[in-house]
Amino acid sequence: MEPVIIVLIILVVLVFIALIKTIQVIPQASAAIVERFGRYTRTLNAGLNIVVPFIDTIRNRIDLREQVVPFPPQPVITQDNLVVNIDTVIYYQVTDARAATYEVASYIQAIEQLTVTTLRNIIGGMDLERTLTSREEINAALRGVLDEATGKWGIRVNRVELKAIEPPTSIQDSMEKQMRADRDKRAAILQAEGVRQSEILRAEGEKQSQILRAEGEAKAAALRAEGEAQAVRTVFEAIHAGDPDQKLLSYQYLQMLPKIAEGDANKLWIVPSEIGDALKGLSGAMGNFGGMGGGSGSGGGANVPAQERREKPSID
């Protein structure tokens, strides 16, 4: 009985192993390559799959999702003989599991080497300045070459990105100095523009101020002249309304003489000829006033005119 039990146990184990090898579960977004006696038979897709145990074997399981592979920096020589280190990142996806397994030994290594050679060809036709400013152009050219070359491998290159472009240290120092000089130049230009604009605005302000000041002075002079004219007209009308005689006018004229002589700058002033007439009129008025006073003091000579008294001969 014991040998029979051992045989049964062995059979059960073999059946269990056969069931395990027969049922293959493939995860989503994955594929498996099945070989029968070393030859490709079929590709297992996602889900439950049945294979022949001990005859069919699973050689390779491939991830069909998009993959991201960064490549280490690669030295590349530009057209102007400068060595730059370029880091690249490749976004690819396996579209044909059979081709990716049998058409190339290692598609990752193949993509890396193809990227390096293509990148050197592209950068070799550009100078450093164009290399630093043409990333989109380089990415598009690199992606086109890689997508065409990897199509027969069952690989689709979705994107190619240049992660970093590092020129030599001496070139970086020269670029920093040039950028600093450009910034200083732009700052000087902006400062000069600001000073020029400020001077223009200041000149415009002074011009407007002078115009307004001149207009104000003109208006003030006009108003002052109008006021003086009005004052003269008022005085003239008042004088004519009062009907003054020659004596009053002579007296007013004498009162104005001290005002004419006022001031340190008046070293020489001319007496008009009309002042003689004014003095005669004033002296006549004062004589009349004196005659009236003498008549009141002496008794008999009050009614005798002064001219007659002067003409009367003296009695010895």
Side-chain angles (χ1 to χ4, degrees):
M1 294 296 295
E2 292 182 358
V4 175
I5 295 174
I6 293 173
V7 171
L8 290 175
I9 292 174
I10 292 173
L11 291 175
V12 170
V13 172
L14 290 176
V15 171
F16 183 74
I17 294 173
L19 288 175
I20 292 176
K21 288 184 174 293
T22 300
I23 301 173
Q24 295 291 332
V25 177
I26 306 301
Q28 183 67 32
S30 297
I33 301 299
V34 179
E35 292 181 348
R36 180 172 294 176
F37 300 115
R39 186 175 182 179
Y40 171 76
T41 303
R42 61 194 175 107
T43 300
L44 301 181
N45 296 319
L48 183 63
N49 297 273
I50 304 298
V51 297
V52 179
F54 306 107
I55 296 177
D56 295 339
T57 58
I58 303 297
R59 176 179 176 178
N60 193 14
R61 293 177 183 267
I62 299 176
D63 194 345
L64 299 180
R65 294 174 297 178
E66 185 176 10
Q67 304 292 323
V68 181
V69 180
F71 295 144
Q74 299 293 329
V76 181
I77 301 176
T78 61
Q79 188 177 11
D80 47 358
N81 297 325
L82 294 175
V83 179
V84 294
N85 294 322
I86 300 180
D87 297 347
T88 54
V89 179
I90 303 297
Y91 297 81
Y92 72 94
Q93 186 176 9
V94 178
T95 58
D96 188 352
R98 178 183 177 279
T101 303
Y102 295 106
E103 295 295 334
V104 62
S106 175
Y107 56 82
I108 297 296
Q109 186 177 2
I111 291 175
E112 180 180 1
Q113 295 302 319
L114 183 60
T115 301
V116 172
T117 56
T118 306
L119 190 61
R120 287 176 179 174
N121 292 332
I122 296 174
I123 300 300
M126 298 181 177
D127 55 8
L128 179 61
E129 184 176 359
R130 185 181 175 188
T131 301
L132 296 175
T133 58
S134 302
R135 290 198 178 192
E136 293 297 331
E137 180 181 353
I138 298 172
N139 292 338
L142 190 60
R143 179 183 177 277
V145 174
L146 290 176
D147 196 18
E148 181 180 359
T150 57
K152 63 180 181 179
W153 300 338
I155 306 295
R156 183 177 69 243
V157 177
N158 297 326
R159 291 194 307 275
V160 179
E161 296 292 340
L162 299 183
K163 187 169 62 175
I165 301 176
E166 297 180 358
T169 306
S170 59
I171 300 300
Q172 292 182 8
D173 295 339
S174 300
M175 293 172 61
E176 290 179 358
K177 292 179 181 178
Q178 183 179 1
M179 293 175 60
R180 190 179 302 110
D182 291 339
R183 287 195 297 267
D184 294 340
K185 178 181 177 181
R186 289 195 297 268
I189 292 174
L190 292 176
Q191 185 176 2
E193 289 291 337
V195 172
R196 186 176 71 89
Q197 190 67 23
S198 176
E199 293 295 333
I200 291 174
L201 293 177
R202 186 180 297 109
E204 289 291 337
E206 291 178 357
K207 177 182 177 182
Q208 293 294 331
S209 177
Q210 292 177 0
I211 292 173
L212 294 176
R213 189 181 299 110
E215 291 178 355
E217 291 177 355
K219 292 181 180 179
L223 292 175
R224 192 180 302 111
E226 184 178 357
E228 292 178 355
Q230 184 66 30
V232 170
R233 285 195 298 269
T234 303
V235 172
F236 184 76
E237 292 174 357
I239 291 174
H240 282 275
D243 192 16
D245 55 0
Q246 184 65 29
K247 299 175 183 179
L248 179 58
L249 294 177
S250 300
Y251 180 71
Q252 292 292 331
Y253 196 85
L254 288 176
Q255 285 185 339
M256 290 299 297
L257 288 178
K259 294 183 179 181
I260 296 174
E262 287 180 356
D264 297 334
N266 295 329
K267 302 299 182 181
L268 176 64
W269 52 284
I270 300 172
V271 178
S273 59
E274 290 81 359
I275 194 172
D277 298 334
L279 291 176
K280 289 180 181 179
L282 184 60
S283 61
M286 294 300 293
N288 293 332
F289 291 153
M292 292 175 62
S296 60
S298 62
N303 296 324
V304 180
Q307 186 177 1
E308 294 180 359
R309 288 198 303 269
R310 286 195 301 270
E311 294 177 357
K312 185 177 179 179
S314 59
I315 301 174
D316 295 330

